Amino acid sequence: MPVNKNAYERYMILDRCFSNFQKEYSFEDLINVLSEEMYDRQNGISERQLRNDIRFMREGFHAPIETYYMGSDSLKGGRSRKMYYRYTDEEYSISKQPISKAEAQSLQEAISTLARFRGLSQYDWIEDVITNLEHRFNLNGHSKGIVYFEYVPDLKGVEHLGTIINAATSHKVLKIEYRNYKNGGHEMIFIFHPYIVKQYNNRWFSFGYGINRDNNWEGISNLALDRIERIEPVDNVQFKPNNDIDFEHYFDDVIGVSIKNNVEKQKIILQTNERRYPYIASKPLHPSQRIEDRKTHKISIIVRPNLELEQKILSFGPDIEVLEPASLRAEIKKKVEEMYKKYFPVQEEHSETV
C-alpha cells in the first residue's frame, strides 16, 4: 500500500531501531528517536502515531516486530515489567523486501513520466535513472504506455530549461540574449536572476528579476524560452533573491502567464450556448468560475484580463459570448471584425465567380 514521504521516513527510522540487536528500544525510546530525527517536520511524535506506525509495519510490510522484557530475550508474559521492541528475525529489514504490486505500478507510472524527457540533451541523466530503476525493481521497460501526456519533444527553447532551473536552484545570474517579437524581433540583452519556470500551452517561461540596460529598465521579467537566442552564466554579479513575490499564488488571478500589474482583476460574465455549456461547466476556464444562470447558460470568472484570456474566449468561436465588462466585449468584437474582414472577401469573390 502506498505511503507518504514522512511516514516512510518514520518506518525507516523504526526499522533501524528494530534491527539493532545491540540496543533495547522501549516505547518511550522509540518516541524520542522519532521526535529527534523528524524534528524539522513535526513537533514530536504522539503515542497514537507510533502505535499506528507499528501496526502498519506489521500489516503492510509483514514486519516480525515483537516485544520483550528489558534485560532478557524472553517474550512478554503476565508480569508487569518494562518492554522493548525488536524484530524476531535478525536478517529482516523493510528495505530488503520486494516492492508490492501497487508500488510497482506507481513506480512504472513515474518512469513513464520521466520517459517523456528522453532524448533531450540536458536530461541525459534521466536515461541512467530510468534504466537503473527498471533493473533494480525488475520492471519491464518495454511495456506499452497507458498514460500519455501532451508533450512536444522538439519544442524550441527547451534546451535552455535545464540551465535556467539549475541557475534558479543555485542562485546564479544569467546573461540572456533575447529576441522580443513585440519590438519587431530586435535582440535584447537581459541580466537575469531566475526564480521559477512555468509551462503554459506547451511553452516554457521563466520568471525572475531582469535588467535591460539598453532600455534602462529593470524589474520582474517573464521570458519565453523559445525566444532565447543565447544564454551564459554571469559570475561577477550577486544574485538578487526573491523576497517579494509568492509564486505559489502569483498566477491565481490570470489565465496563462501574462500579468500586468496595472490591470485589476474583474468579474467576467460569459454566455455559452446549450451545446457548449456542459463542457465549460465540467471543465472550468479558471478556478474562480461560477454558474450565474443555468437556464441561460451564463457563467462568470474573476481574473485579470490579458491576451491569454482573449485567446481562450476566441478559441470557442461562436459558442461563447462576452457580456461583461464592456471593455473586454469591445476588444473581442474588434478581433472578430478583423477576422471577418479576412474571410468575407473570399466568400464574396466565390459567389461572384459562381
Side-chain angles (χ1 to χ4, degrees), residues 180-198:
N180 192 342
Y181 300 153
K182 293 180 181 179
N183 66 356
H186 298 301
E187 188 177 277
M188 306 169 65
I189 303 296
F190 279 93
I191 301 301
F192 191 62
H193 306 244
Y195 296 151
I196 68 163
V197 293
K198 180 177 174 63

Side-chain angles (χ1 to χ4, degrees), residues 107-135 141 151 158 161-162 165 204:
L107 186 56
Q108 187 66 67
E109 291 171 6
I111 289 175
S112 298
T113 302
L114 285 173
R116 292 185 296 151
F117 296 92
R118 270 176 162 162
L120 299 179
S121 59
Q122 72 272 33
Y123 293 120
D124 290 339
W125 55 270
I126 284 182
E127 189 68 41
D128 292 333
V129 171
I130 293 175
T131 302
N132 289 335
L133 286 173
E134 291 174 342
H135 175 74
Y151 177 62
V158 74
L161 186 58
I165 291 176
W204 285 99

Side-chain angles (χ1 to χ4, degrees), residues 143-294:
S143 59
K144 293 183 179 180
I146 297 175
V147 180
Y148 288 88
F149 297 87
E150 188 175 5
Y151 177 62
V152 182
D154 298 323
L155 189 64
K156 186 178 185 300
V158 74
E159 67 273 14
H160 303 306
L161 186 58
T163 301
I164 293 177
I165 291 176
N166 290 335
T169 302
S170 57
H171 288 184
K172 299 295 184 181
V173 182
L174 301 173
K175 178 183 177 182
I176 294 179
E177 296 180 10
Y178 190 76
R179 194 168 298 280
N180 192 342
Y181 300 153
K182 293 180 181 179
N183 66 356
H186 298 301
E187 188 177 277
M188 306 169 65
I189 303 296
F190 279 93
I191 301 301
F192 191 62
H193 306 244
Y195 296 151
I196 68 163
V197 293
K198 180 177 174 63
Q199 188 182 37
Y200 174 72
N201 197 24
N202 273 328
R203 296 176 65 204
W204 285 99
F205 302 83
S206 181
F207 288 77
Y209 194 85
I211 302 172
N212 179 235
R213 295 193 177 96
D214 295 334
N215 294 333
N216 195 27
W217 182 90
E218 61 181 278
I220 296 299
S221 303
N222 171 12
L223 303 184
L225 268 61
D226 59 342
R227 301 176 196 174
I228 294 177
E229 297 291 330
R230 187 180 177 189
I231 188 169
E232 60 185 46
V234 178
D235 297 324
N236 59 347
V237 177
Q238 185 175 359
F239 185 85
K240 180 180 175 63
N242 171 36
N243 298 320
D244 302 317
I245 297 177
D246 178 9
F247 282 106
E248 289 289 334
H249 301 287
Y250 189 63
F251 304 95
D252 287 355
D253 299 333
V254 298
I255 290 176
V257 295
S258 298
I259 298 178
K260 296 180 180 179
N261 293 327
N262 60 343
V263 177
E264 298 294 330
K265 62 182 180 181
Q266 303 177 42
K267 185 174 183 178
I268 315 296
I269 298 181
L270 306 168
Q271 185 171 33
T272 71
N273 57 27
E274 185 176 1
R275 182 179 67 87
R276 178 67 68 170
Y277 176 75
Y279 295 95
I280 295 180
S282 61
K283 185 184 177 183
L285 304 178
H286 185 264
S288 65
Q289 179 172 305
R290 298 292 181 269
I291 297 173
E292 295 289 323
D293 191 329
R294 295 180 184 275

Side-chain angles (χ1 to χ4, degrees), residues 2 34 44 139 267 300:
L34 286 170
L139 299 173
K267 185 174 183 178
S300 68

Side-chain angles (χ1 to χ4, degrees), residues 1-3 8 11 52-65 92 94 97-101 103:
M1 61 186 76
V3 297
Y8 192 75
Y11 303 150
N52 288 338
D53 286 347
I54 293 175
R55 185 185 306 112
F56 181 91
M57 291 179 68
R58 282 171 169 160
E59 297 175 358
F61 294 109
H62 303 289
I65 304 169
Y92 180 87
I94 60 175
Q97 303 310 301
I99 62 175
S100 66
K101 183 178 180 181
E103 289 170 329

